[in-house]
Amino acid sequence: MKIAFRYRVMLKNKKNVDNIFVIDYNLTIKTNHKINMVAIHFNIKKQRKDIMLKMEDVAKLANVSTATVSRVLSNNKNVSHKTREKVLEIINQLEYKPNKLASNFRKKTSETVAVILPDIENPFFAEIIKGCRDEALKNGFHLLLCDTSNSVEQEKEFTELVKERFVDGIILATARMPKGEIYNLSQEIPVVLACEYVESYEIPTVSIDNVTAAREATEYLLDQGHKRIGIITGPLEVIVSRDRVKGYRQALLLRDIPVQDFFIQEGDFSVKSGYDIMMKFLASEQKPTAIFASSDAMALGALKACKNKGLRVPDDISIIGFDDIPLCTLVEPELTTISQPKYEMGCQAMKMLLNIIDKNDLQQKQIVLPHKLIIRQTTN
Amino acid sequence: MKIAFRYRVMLKNKKNVDNIFVIDYNLTIKTNHKINMVAIHFNIKKQRKDIMLKMEDVAKLANVSTATVSRVLSNNKNVSHKTREKVLEIINQLEYKPNKLASNFRKKTSETVAVILPDIENPFFAEIIKGCRDEALKNGFHLLLCDTSNSVEQEKEFTELVKERFVDGIILATARMPKGEIYNLSQEIPVVLACEYVESYEIPTVSIDNVTAAREATEYLLDQGHKRIGIITGPLEVIVSRDRVKGYRQALLLRDIPVQDFFIQEGDFSVKSGYDIMMKFLASEQKPTAIFASSDAMALGALKACKNKGLRVPDDISIIGFDDIPLCTLVEPELTTISQPKYEMGCQAMKMLLNIIDKNDLQQKQIVLPHKLIIRQTTN
DNA sequence: CTGAAAGCGCTTACAG
DNA sequence: CTGAAAGCGCTTACAG
């Protein structure tokens, strides 16, 4: 039995850059025994930061200056084809990787973008993150994820933290801090709002038309013959919540149906708040026959409450949600909802942000993506 | 009507550090009109990176050297109380923030920890992330989130990317790359495995006892009188999946029930795979009367399949899941499952990692946290 | 197209 | 307890 393999060893002195040895070994093991399994175990030493290869080493071996190596690495055109090839050859041989800490420091950039969002556990944001991430990675940027747990204080703190880190830009998927502060932030550092937006200031934004979407949802319920429609809103300090209430009101007004205050109840986007509010609705004299919830999570809470009270959905009561999270098709009956192009929103927001970072002119500062009513089984 | 407010302006020349002016203004506006709303709009200029305050500026104003300022900032004890106070005073006045890019470069650290996970959309990992994050932030570390989308290639790529960035450590919540590579990685850079583990190498790990947990789940079904129990496994290249099968086998063997190959079907942790496999089970002659799914997602898929086929759960068939994600209580009937201390696992993993980074000795290299069988409504 | 040299803003070993 | 000075590993304006 014979086993052969090759390995490469690199030796480098701490100070003397003229001493880089690249040694390739061929190792052959012969034995008379049969070997069924071979565990080859190299005890690789901790990568010693003090003897890592530097640009200087590459430069010496390639007989050029570090300036040239740097130019090759940054795809600067001012390098002759021949020189570039030579340098690249050495870089490959040594498996040299430039020190990002140094270059970022030098260039005053971190090649990192922060995404600040209210709740990472919410699958709605998971999709947004994926969009952001794919677009960022494609352009060599990393993502710093900041989950504010719905707290304005956390939101402010993160914007500070993140500035100290020299992140190159921020995507705000939550915007609960005062409008003025968000505006100021956007003057200091590239900022794009995703999902949310800020009134009266021109901050780059990607979102859907929440008013129209909510109006359509409500109109659909009206079309089904419902007259007593309750709305479970998101927290009213966030603007998309208010927009959805606005759309709800518009729909009713257009049909000359009076808006009843009792039918407008404020939740907080959580399952529990949907459940609690639904219970309240069900306990009242004038029960609504249909519910429009401002998030799928709340709709699911409401659905649960109905079931617990022995009501059949949609026969006794119709429910419509908002967001179209994957869960919608897992519950019974499947949830009718308004779908937002989540992944696309993430992509677009990141594209916009990278454009701002690159100081390109934006053709459009406000992008409104299309939503869609998805009729499933909780409405009739 | 009269409005008064104060604001502070800081002026600094690019080169001449002796020229820092801090000016406080008091501004008063008087008017005879009634003012209901006042929008005060300062056009704050983009924070110019080239004139940002530096340590040198602080040092000059405090009449000390930058070395001393640096010592104050890093809580080095070799500074007299008086000097420290003086420096701190100036730092506060100027609202000076040290340049993290510079100090990280100098110290060869990034104060960042990477968390590599298979799927950010899975609420199971969201909880783990929260644990990691809280623990990291508490210690001044940032989190770089890397979602591999269940791809081994992505996993490898991220470990490379992340090394280039000088992250101080890595938490692997997925471990599908070859054992040897993971081991090598752990020799180069601090690594802690969360959820998964690697056989035969001593890599710091936080997990539950998957074998025992799976055995208990199966035993519970056996206790309910089930004899034909199917298992929907996770991908068998991941070790926790194999462990759960092992526990399942143990339970059957202990009761002298023969293990049938057909009853062991491999899924991929997704809802869809649970659905598909359940359909396959239901189409067979010898239907199982109970299902143990290796993840809640797959259990939910299976539940859905049963409903679609008109079967009642748990009367016709029992289902038990794994993980205890929030969704469990949202579906009907609520899902019986094995609960993992997700948040705690994240915390512990991060604590361990930070200990390794600080070069503290670990009392324990393998932490096994307790799991718990949670009986709800899908089993009887 | 290329190189010598300055400099980014800190930290730290050394000397006092 | 404090400071002068070197140096971390790059990039870039400048000169040729």
Side-chain angles (χ1 to χ4, degrees), chain A residues 169-354:
Chain A
I170 302 179
I171 288 192
L172 277 177
T174 168
R176 309 203 181 173
M177 19 193 269
K179 289 195 271 185
E181 288 183 35
I182 294 180
Y183 178 73
N184 288 344
L185 185 69
S186 77
Q187 297 300 100
E188 278 185 70
I189 188 174
V191 169
V192 170
L193 295 172
C195 319
E196 309 255 350
Y197 69 100
V198 171
E199 290 166 299
S200 64
Y201 292 102
E202 273 243 319
I203 303 174
T205 302
V206 177
S207 67
I208 60 164
D209 179 347
N210 283 284
V211 178
T212 305
R215 179 159 55 74
E216 286 174 13
T218 313
E219 278 169 350
Y220 170 68
L221 293 172
L222 291 165
D223 289 342
Q224 302 297 309
H226 294 283
K227 301 245 181 301
R228 295 204 309 281
I229 302 174
I231 176 171
I232 305 178
T233 77
L236 291 176
E237 78 257 23
V238 339
I239 193 157
V240 298
S241 299
R242 293 201 298 278
D243 277 353
R244 291 173 195 171
V245 175
K246 198 188 275 177
Y248 162 85
R249 284 175 179 277
Q250 283 181 0
L252 295 183
L253 290 174
L254 286 170
R255 304 274 176 114
D256 285 327
I257 296 179
V259 176
Q260 294 183 46
D261 281 347
F262 173 69
F263 278 168
I264 303 177
Q265 294 287 336
E266 180 176 354
D268 62 7
F269 286 139
S270 73
V271 174
K272 187 172 180 312
S273 71
Y275 184 91
D276 292 344
I277 291 170
M278 192 69 222
M279 282 303 198
K280 193 166 152 191
F281 276 142
L282 294 179
S284 75
E285 290 284 288
Q286 284 274 309
K287 282 193 255 305
T289 64
I291 295 294
F292 167 40
S294 245
S295 79
D296 285 340
M298 295 194 296
L300 293 173
L303 180 59
K304 177 117 197 165
C306 291
K307 286 180 181 173
N308 282 4
K309 279 287 178 191
L311 292 171
R312 286 162 308 151
V313 176
D315 297 337
D316 296 327
I317 192 159
S318 284
I319 297 178
I320 185 167
F322 209 106
D323 290 345
D324 194 28
I325 58 179
L327 245 126
C328 290
T329 58
L330 282 181
V331 294
E332 187 100 319
E334 297 185 359
L335 189 65
T336 295
T337 192
I338 297 277
S339 158
Q340 301 197 50
K342 301 173 277 290
Y343 181 84
E344 186 62 19
M345 285 166 85
C347 287
Q348 294 279 1
M350 186 56 77
K351 265 188 196 149
M352 217 173 188
L353 188 67
L354 295 178

Side-chain angles (χ1 to χ4, degrees), chain A residues 54-55 70 96 99 103 106:
Chain A
K54 327 190 225 181
M55 198 168 270
S70 178
Y96 165 72
N99 182 330
S103 64
R106 193 44 239 274

Side-chain angles (χ1 to χ4, degrees), chain B residues 73-293:
Chain B
L73 249 13
S74 62
N75 282 317
N76 185 313
K77 58 243 137 270
N78 287 330
V79 184
S80 75
H81 181 73
K82 222 179 110 192
T83 311
R84 180 180 303 278
E85 291 297 292
K86 187 174 59 181
V87 171
L88 248 20
E89 166 75 30
I90 300 285
I91 287 177
N92 280 333
Q93 276 205 7
L94 295 182
E95 291 178 21
Y96 164 72
K97 301 257 185 280
N99 181 330
K100 284 272 180 195
L101 247 33
S103 64
N104 285 346
F105 160 56
R106 193 45 238 273
K107 292 188 292 185
K108 295 188 206 300
T109 150
S110 62
E111 291 180 345
T112 302
V113 165
V115 178
I116 302 185
L117 44 100
D119 181 14
I120 203 176
E121 231 175 306
N122 187 332
F124 175 72
F125 292 106
E127 273 292 301
I128 300 224
I129 293 170
K130 285 194 175 181
C132 291
R133 179 206 54 183
D134 288 352
E135 202 59 37
L137 240 44
K138 213 188 289 174
N139 291 278
F141 281 77
H142 277 241
L143 233 56
L144 214 54
L145 243 50
C146 310
D147 175 347
T148 67
S149 303
N150 288 305
S151 133
V152 189
E153 279 66 47
Q154 279 275 329
E155 198 177 314
K156 289 188 193 177
E157 232 168 82
F158 274 127
T159 57
E160 285 309 314
L161 259 176
V162 130
K163 272 195 285 175
E164 280 177 36
R165 286 266 173 157
F166 285 77
V167 299
D168 298 310
I170 301 179
I171 288 191
L172 278 177
T174 169
R176 308 202 181 173
M177 21 192 268
K179 288 195 273 184
E181 288 185 35
I182 294 180
Y183 177 73
N184 288 344
L185 185 68
S186 77
Q187 296 301 101
E188 279 185 68
I189 189 174
V191 169
V192 171
L193 295 171
C195 319
E196 309 255 350
Y197 69 99
V198 171
E199 289 166 300
S200 64
Y201 292 102
E202 273 242 319
I203 303 175
T205 302
V206 177
S207 67
I208 60 163
D209 180 346
N210 283 284
V211 179
T212 305
R215 179 158 56 73
E216 287 175 12
T218 314
E219 278 169 349
Y220 170 68
L221 293 172
L222 291 165
D223 289 342
Q224 303 296 309
H226 293 283
K227 300 247 181 298
R228 297 205 308 282
I229 302 175
I231 176 170
I232 304 177
T233 78
L236 290 176
E237 78 257 21
V238 339
I239 192 157
V240 298
S241 300
R242 295 201 297 279
D243 277 354
R244 290 173 197 171
V245 175
K246 199 187 276 178
Y248 162 85
R249 283 174 179 278
Q250 283 181 1
L252 295 183
L253 289 174
L254 286 170
R255 304 273 175 115
D256 286 326
I257 296 178
V259 176
Q260 293 183 48
D261 280 350
F262 173 69
F263 278 169
I264 302 179
Q265 294 288 338
E266 181 176 354
D268 63 5
F269 287 140
S270 74
V271 173
K272 185 170 183 315
S273 72
Y275 183 91
D276 292 344
I277 291 172
M278 192 70 222
M279 281 305 197
K280 195 166 150 191
F281 276 141
L282 295 180
S284 76
E285 291 284 288
Q286 284 275 307
K287 282 195 255 304
T289 63
I291 295 293
F292 167 39

